Amino acid sequence: MSNEFNDKVDIAVFLTANREDFKQKLLSEAVNVGSKINDILERGNIDLLKNAEVLAHYIVENKEEELVEFAKVEGIAWAQHSLTLAFKLEWVHAIRRTLWYFLYQYDNKNEDNESPRKKFFDLEKRINDSVDQFLNNFFISYSNYKDELILSQKKLVENLSVPIIPINSSIAVLPLIGRIDTYRVHTLEEKVLMGISSMKIQTLIIDLSGIAEMELDVIFQFGKILNGVNMMGCKAILTGLRVELVRKIVDTGVAFDGQIETKGTLQQTLKEHLVLESGVQI
């Protein structure tokens, strides 16, 4: 890095005039990130060196609104491409150190009569507050985007975990797989009742052969769902009840509505109902 600096009155102009030296100093301060610059550019179309220059100018020119907006955009970009936060943290701290280095060089070229102590503390507060504001807004933006992404994926999984499959205009099948916990049973209640209403289901066959586990409170809630199905004028049929689950239901003393039917297998139940619907032997 060159030891000669252009003497400029304005700090922003000074940084622009010494752009290449600024980049080299920045790379020397962020060794780990420096080796990943091309990877990050290819992966997320994020030019770290250019963005560092933009951030430095927003800081020295005290452009608070632009800095906050820039931080939010950066946060979303890093979240979208799942870039490592440790790299971003190292990079911003390197920008902070590099900026202070160049401010020192600028100050040496532009001495004035103002008290050095007061000047230093005023500048220290403004610069560091700006960098911290960028970091705070970046991480908030990153976190919010990730939270929204996780929520949308969670909702997708919820919909997939309660797949109401129409067989014909009046019959539908609900195959349940895996563990039914408290959270999932509430999703089940909402999807089932809404599905019966929107799809005009008259018979809902609920297959439990893939259920791994169902806790006591979940069994009680499941019973309420079945009662709700009947209240909506829909006939509920349970198939595939495993021995372990039947024992648990019996031991808990939960009594399902008397109108609930139970069948051995989903295949046999479908065969019986399709025969009844068509009147043709299968």
Side-chain angles (χ1 to χ4, degrees), residues 46-57:
I46 297 173
D47 190 332
L48 288 181
L49 289 172
K50 179 181 178 180
N51 289 354
E53 185 178 355
V54 171
L55 176 58
H57 277 268

Side-chain angles (χ1 to χ4, degrees), residues 4-275:
E4 297 296 326
F5 289 85
N6 296 325
D7 186 4
K8 300 293 180 180
V9 176
D10 183 77
I11 299 178
V13 176
F14 179 76
L15 289 177
T16 301
N18 296 282
R19 175 182 292 133
E20 291 305 315
D21 283 342
F22 183 89
K23 290 179 179 179
Q24 292 303 316
K25 175 64 176 174
L26 183 55
L27 291 173
S28 70
E29 291 285 350
V31 179
N32 293 325
V33 181
S35 63
K36 298 290 184 180
I37 282 183
N38 290 331
D39 292 340
I40 293 173
L41 180 60
E42 292 177 4
R43 183 175 172 184
N45 195 28
I46 297 173
D47 190 332
L48 288 181
L49 289 172
K50 179 181 178 180
N51 289 354
E53 185 178 355
V54 171
L55 176 58
H57 277 268
Y58 284 157
I59 291 172
V60 298
E61 294 172 28
N62 203 24
K63 293 184 176 180
E64 183 176 343
E65 291 184 6
E66 290 87 344
L67 182 142
V68 170
E69 188 60 32
F70 183 58
K72 293 177 180 178
V73 172
E74 282 272 277
I76 292 174
W78 279 66
Q80 285 177 330
H81 300 285
S82 297
L83 297 173
T84 307
L85 284 177
F87 286 158
K88 187 64 175 181
L89 193 58
E90 179 184 351
W91 189 244
V92 174
H93 285 318
I95 293 173
R96 188 200 301 263
R97 291 191 296 271
T98 301
L99 187 56
W100 273 112
Y101 175 80
F102 273 80
L103 288 173
Y104 174 77
Q105 300 297 332
Y106 172 82
D107 191 60
N108 283 342
K109 294 289 184 179
N110 297 277
E111 294 181 357
D112 54 31
N113 296 324
E114 186 178 0
S115 167
R117 179 176 295 181
K118 182 180 184 304
K119 181 179 179 181
F120 171 79
F121 281 108
D122 287 346
L123 190 61
E124 185 276 336
K125 185 178 187 308
R126 184 170 68 81
I127 298 299
N128 286 333
D129 283 353
S130 293
V131 174
D132 291 335
Q133 187 176 44
F134 174 86
L135 278 175
N136 289 339
N137 282 278
F138 171 86
F139 283 115
I140 290 172
S141 178
Y142 183 100
S143 178
N144 287 343
Y145 182 88
K146 281 293 188 181
D147 288 345
E148 290 173 3
L149 183 62
I150 291 171
L151 181 60
S152 65
Q153 291 173 341
K154 190 174 183 180
K155 288 181 178 178
L156 176 61
V157 171
E158 287 175 1
N159 289 328
L160 293 175
S161 69
V162 188
I164 300 177
I165 306 168
I167 303 302
N168 55 34
S169 60
S170 62
I171 301 174
V173 175
L174 172 59
L176 295 176
I177 300 173
R179 183 174 183 270
I180 305 293
D181 56 16
T182 304
Y183 181 82
R184 191 178 174 195
V185 80
H186 286 297
T187 302
L188 180 65
E189 178 181 5
E190 178 183 356
K191 300 297 180 183
V192 166
L193 298 182
M194 290 295 293
I196 291 172
S197 175
S198 62
M199 299 167 67
K200 310 300 181 185
I201 300 170
Q202 296 177 21
T203 301
L204 180 64
I205 304 170
I206 305 174
D207 183 57
L208 303 175
S209 59
I211 291 297
E213 185 180 354
M214 193 180 287
E215 297 298 330
L216 176 60
D217 56 339
V218 174
I219 293 174
F220 278 108
Q221 188 62 35
F222 186 67
K224 292 180 180 179
I225 294 174
L226 295 177
N227 291 336
V229 169
N230 277 332
M231 290 175 66
M232 295 190 70
C234 178
K235 179 181 179 181
I237 302 175
L238 300 182
T239 66
L241 283 162
R242 293 185 177 184
V243 175
E244 299 82 359
L245 183 55
V246 171
R247 284 176 178 169
K248 204 165 198 177
I249 293 172
V250 172
D251 290 342
T252 57
V254 176
F256 295 153
D257 191 296
Q259 297 181 21
I260 304 297
E261 286 189 25
T262 57
K263 298 286 185 178
T265 66
L266 174 61
Q267 292 83 353
Q268 183 60 35
T269 306
L270 285 173
K271 184 177 180 180
E272 291 176 3
H273 277 77
L274 290 176
V275 167

